[in-house]
Amino acid sequence: MTITQHPFSSEKDKHQMSVLARQFPANNLHVIDLPYRLSSWALDNPDDVGLWFDEKQQLVAWAVLQTPFWTIDYVCHPAVELNLHQEILHWADQRAKELLNTASGHPAWFIMVFPGQVNRIHDLDKAGFKCQSDMGDDSWSKVLMRRSSQTPVKVYEPRSGFIVRSLAGEKEVKDYVELHQSVFESKNMTVDWRVRTLQHPSYKPDLDIVVESPDGRLVAFCICWLDENSLDGHVEPLGCHKDFRQYALGRVALSEGLRRLQSLGAQNIFVETDNYRNTAFRLYESFDFEVLQDVLVYRKDYEEIQN
């Protein structure tokens, strides 16, 4: 089979990228929430996206250097992965080096992999990526959690004066972005990124939950995604302003998001979280999420090539 790399150019490419991921959901950490990730500003630069096609011009693999997340996201058709995986890693490695001294560069990049993906792990080790699960105090690993929609959602009402509702479209995007940046203490979320999520064909306004304070400010959010073919849902992202966490508004927003997913027919709902973030982990457990499988985090440093 002849495989060639093509430049990234359009929304049509994003659609094909999502389709490929959905064909093999068990192999990929991000499937249902790809509308969120593929709307990020990382894809504004076509050079940060790699696309591989077979001789029939069918997409068989893709990769993105996701600058906002410090991660290298990629999907590969199982039929070609054995021969193509190392090439994907080589492409990402070269691109990471090119970006190092630019605004989109990072001194380290991360790749997520499931423990059972032994061939990927072998290639990651060979390419200089190091597993972060046994690094002492700096250890880092993640989990993919799932809950069945057959389980009733626990209902948590907000305190008096707070309102749980859907985001009011593009007119409220700026306020949402300010809240998101405050919650995650990062400027990564942008107005353009957030607007693109609203414009994505898979976006459902009813699943874009916010909590409004008595003085009219947005103080918590929970965005959910639903694949109408598989009827799988995903929570990404969830957050609450630090000044309002004593009111458990993240729990309130999550409860509403899960309830709405369930009302739309979601059969299984997924969430990814760091397993060392005890607060988030316990929150999802309290909503009957169970660990589906561990997620290993692999890291490669690039600081040493700066001169």
Side-chain angles (χ1 to χ4, degrees):
M1 180 184 295
T2 302
I3 297 175
T4 55
Q5 188 174 351
H6 293 199
F8 171 80
S9 62
S10 67
E11 290 298 316
K12 180 181 176 182
D13 290 330
K14 290 184 183 180
H15 174 72
Q16 292 186 77
M17 292 160 74
S18 293
V19 169
L20 182 61
R22 288 199 300 269
Q23 288 177 347
F24 309 101
N27 293 352
N28 301 298
L29 178 61
H30 298 289
V31 179
I32 307 148
D33 63 331
L34 278 179
Y36 176 70
R37 295 180 78 86
L38 295 183
S39 295
S40 87
W41 47 266
L43 286 84
D44 291 349
N45 187 342
D47 292 338
D48 292 341
V49 185
L51 304 175
W52 288 264
F53 290 81
D54 64 15
E55 66 272 13
K56 296 180 180 179
Q57 297 307 300
Q58 295 295 312
L59 184 69
V60 295
W62 58 264
V64 180
L65 270 75
Q66 281 281 11
T67 303
F69 303 109
W70 291 51
T71 64
I72 301 168
D73 290 352
Y74 61 89
V75 171
C76 190
H77 194 296
V80 301
E81 181 167 328
L82 192 62
N83 295 319
L84 191 58
H85 186 236
Q86 291 186 33
E87 180 180 332
I88 294 170
L89 294 180
H90 177 73
W91 170 83
D93 183 67
Q94 292 302 305
R95 186 60 186 152
K97 291 175 181 176
E98 293 169 1
L99 290 174
L100 186 58
N101 296 310
T102 73
S104 296
H106 290 311
W109 288 87
F110 300 86
I111 288 177
M112 313 301 163
V113 61
F114 296 127
Q117 294 176 308
V118 293
N119 290 328
R120 287 193 182 188
I121 290 172
H122 175 269
D123 290 345
L124 287 168
D125 287 333
K126 188 175 179 180
F129 286 83
K130 304 297 182 185
C131 185
Q132 302 299 292
S133 61
D134 189 18
M135 306 293 289
D137 292 341
D138 296 323
S139 295
W140 183 24
S141 59
K142 302 171 79 71
V143 288
L144 180 64
M145 305 182 77
R146 177 181 63 187
R147 83 181 301 276
S148 169
S149 277
Q150 304 305 312
T151 306
V153 176
K154 296 174 183 175
V155 177
Y156 293 96
E157 299 291 345
R159 290 222 181 172
S160 177
F162 290 91
I163 300 171
V164 185
R165 59 173 174 82
S166 301
L167 185 79
E170 291 190 21
K171 69 180 183 182
E172 207 164 37
V173 162
K174 183 176 181 293
D175 291 338
Y176 170 90
V177 169
E178 291 175 355
L179 171 61
H180 187 113
Q181 291 179 349
S182 176
V183 168
F184 292 108
E185 299 180 344
S186 166
K187 298 294 185 181
N188 280 333
M189 176 52 62
T190 64
V191 168
D192 287 346
W193 180 357
R194 195 63 174 89
V195 168
R196 280 194 290 264
T197 65
L198 270 63
Q199 297 171 344
H200 195 283
S202 296
Y203 172 79
K204 296 185 180 304
D206 287 348
L207 296 179
D208 197 344
I209 313 299
V210 293
V211 179
E212 180 184 323
S213 68
D215 62 0
R217 285 185 291 163
L218 298 187
V219 293
F221 55 84
C222 177
I223 307 177
C224 298
W225 303 92
L226 177 68
D227 186 314
E228 292 184 328
N229 294 315
S230 66
L231 293 180
D232 287 334
H234 195 110
V235 178
E236 175 65 20
L238 169 71
C240 178
H241 193 284
K242 63 181 180 181
D243 293 344
F244 292 84
R245 286 174 187 160
Q246 70 267 33
Y247 303 121
L249 298 176
R251 182 179 67 181
V252 170
L254 177 60
S255 172
E256 181 66 12
L258 295 178
R259 186 192 65 78
R260 293 188 184 191
L261 273 172
Q262 202 170 58
S263 71
L264 290 172
Q267 297 302 301
N268 291 289
I269 303 171
F270 299 86
V271 69
E272 167 205 350
T273 188
D274 296 349
N275 64 10
Y276 67 80
R277 287 185 181 167
N278 293 331
T279 300
F281 188 85
R282 288 198 300 269
L283 172 65
Y284 293 125
E285 276 195 322
S286 74
F287 278 91
D288 302 299
F289 280 90
E290 297 179 345
V291 175
L292 179 62
Q293 61 177 320
D294 293 330
V295 179
L296 301 178
V297 179
Y298 274 74
R299 168 178 176 156
K300 185 169 183 178
D301 293 317
Y302 289 89
E303 289 180 296
E304 67 273 10
I305 70 171
Q306 292 190 79
N307 9 52

